[in-house]
Amino acid sequence: FMTELVVALLMIINGEIKEARIQESMSNCLKGKRVAKREAKSHVKYQCIKSMAELEKNIDGSSSIKKLILE
């Protein structure tokens, strides 16, 4: 696994991180957060963070977050 500093958009349901998506930049993340929030149900929260993460390669060559390393 590769460990890298990433900007991630988190989907948080009932205080638990359900999904974390890599974003190109913090401004992209905040834009995505605004869009997601507009369509979200009330119990879903979105948050942008900069964090170390364990990444894994997808079949198409892109990377996805396997595990966030939260300090």
Side-chain angles (χ1 to χ4, degrees):
F1 298 111
M2 303 177 303
T3 305
E4 218 173 280
L5 182 64
V6 297
V7 174
L9 176 57
L10 307 182
M11 177 198 285
I12 302 166
I13 300 174
N14 300 329
E16 197 180 315
I17 297 171
K18 290 293 180 192
E19 196 175 336
R21 294 262 170 127
I22 298 173
Q23 304 294 306
E24 283 170 35
S25 65
M26 190 53 84
S27 62
N28 264 23
C29 188
L30 293 168
K31 202 182 301 174
K33 176 184 169 183
R34 278 197 303 276
V35 172
K37 243 175 129 164
R38 244 179 262 141
E39 300 163 10
K41 313 222 177 344
S42 59
H43 64 284
V44 181
K45 282 197 179 77
Y46 292 92
Q47 187 182 343
C48 291
I49 64 163
K50 205 173 244 181
S51 173
M52 292 301 287
E54 262 180 36
L55 305 180
E56 59 186 357
K57 281 274 181 235
N58 298 322
I59 292 168
D60 66 2
S62 65
S63 294
S64 62
I65 296 172
K66 181 170 175 43
K67 187 170 92 187
L68 286 170
I69 301 164
L70 303 170
E71 263 100 56

